[in-house]
Amino acid sequence: MDTELALHYRAILEQLGEDPGREGLRDTPKRAAKAMEFLTRGYQTELDTIINGAIFSSDNDEMVIVRDIELYSLCEHHLLPFIGKAHVAYIPQGKVLGLSKIARIVDMFARRLQIQENLTKQIADCIQTVTQAAGVAVSIEAKHLCMMMRGVEKQNSVMNTSVMLGSFRTNQASRNEFLQLIRGN
């Protein structure tokens, strides 16, 4: 049975002048609908399910950083992908978060229609809320297909965004350490 989303994809193909009944396109509306549901699964993801109790007491008050977390998202303006990596750091204040949970939080927000600026802030705010850290830093670098495939067609452009909260905003040494670590220095 066709889902409503698949019916919309069928209509799009027709509007483009294609025959959705031809062999190569017969199942395309269903596949496209299934792909879109997968690419936007962040809307159905619950933070509590992701965290799953993986917040642990810790005396560590030094920076925790996870870098090079690959991310895939869709530009909310053109529904075209942007692809990149996120670097997430926080300075614990009595609690640490399970390592995989940081990547899952990135995915939860990336798998929604987005602009990179908001994605960066959503990740930072979420990590801050979950950990109550002294500081949170998030940096994302991504290539946007809406700039590469259409419009200005700039193949080598990379967008960088960052959000610094708490001690990363107020303490230049913490900010510098984060920036050095994400560069691999």
Side-chain angles (χ1 to χ4, degrees):
M1 175 110 188
D2 285 332
T3 67
E4 188 173 340
L5 190 54
L7 293 174
H8 289 292
Y9 276 109
R10 181 180 177 81
I12 289 169
L13 290 172
E14 289 169 347
Q15 288 293 310
L16 293 173
E18 273 291 354
D19 173 12
R22 78 172 167 85
E23 182 182 8
L25 293 177
R26 234 176 261 139
D27 292 328
T28 297
K30 289 178 188 173
R31 286 192 300 262
K34 188 174 181 179
M36 185 58 78
E37 289 168 354
F38 179 83
L39 295 173
T40 60
R41 71 185 185 272
Y43 291 117
Q44 281 70 50
T45 306
E46 297 287 333
L47 182 60
D48 289 341
T49 303
I50 288 174
I51 301 300
N52 196 25
I55 300 173
F56 308 103
S57 297
S58 176
D59 292 336
N60 179 37
D61 63 358
E62 295 293 327
M63 188 182 308
V64 174
I65 184 168
V66 183
R67 59 176 244 210
D68 297 330
I69 303 166
E70 65 270 3
L71 67 85
Y72 308 92
S73 194
L74 290 174
C75 163
E76 67 183 35
H77 300 139
H78 304 99
L79 301 182
L80 290 173
F82 63 94
I83 301 163
K85 54 189 173 180
H87 313 290
V88 178
Y90 69 100
I91 299 174
Q93 282 190 139
K95 293 190 270 186
V96 293
L97 182 60
L99 175 62
S100 71
K101 307 311 179 188
I102 295 171
R104 291 179 193 278
I105 288 169
V106 170
D107 283 344
M108 179 178 76
F109 290 111
R111 294 302 187 155
R112 299 175 181 184
L113 302 180
Q114 285 286 10
I115 61 170
Q116 185 174 328
E117 299 90 335
N118 291 348
L119 174 60
T120 310
K121 182 162 179 19
Q122 290 166 354
I123 294 166
D125 289 344
C126 184
I127 298 290
Q128 176 64 47
T129 298
V130 168
T131 64
Q132 297 298 302
V136 174
V138 176
S139 174
I140 295 178
E141 50 196 82
K143 290 187 156 223
H144 293 250
L145 270 68
C146 57
M147 261 190 75
M148 297 169 69
M149 293 178 65
R150 55 159 306 282
V152 296
E153 297 184 72
K154 299 302 177 201
Q155 303 308 305
N156 297 309
S157 62
V158 177
M159 182 176 186
N160 290 290
T161 52
S162 68
V163 170
M164 306 288 171
L165 303 176
S167 58
F168 285 102
R169 181 178 289 274
T170 60
N171 183 319
Q172 191 63 42
S174 293
R175 180 187 290 250
N176 289 343
E177 180 181 357
F178 170 69
L179 294 173
Q180 282 181 324
L181 287 170
I182 66 173
R183 290 184 191 120
N185 298 342

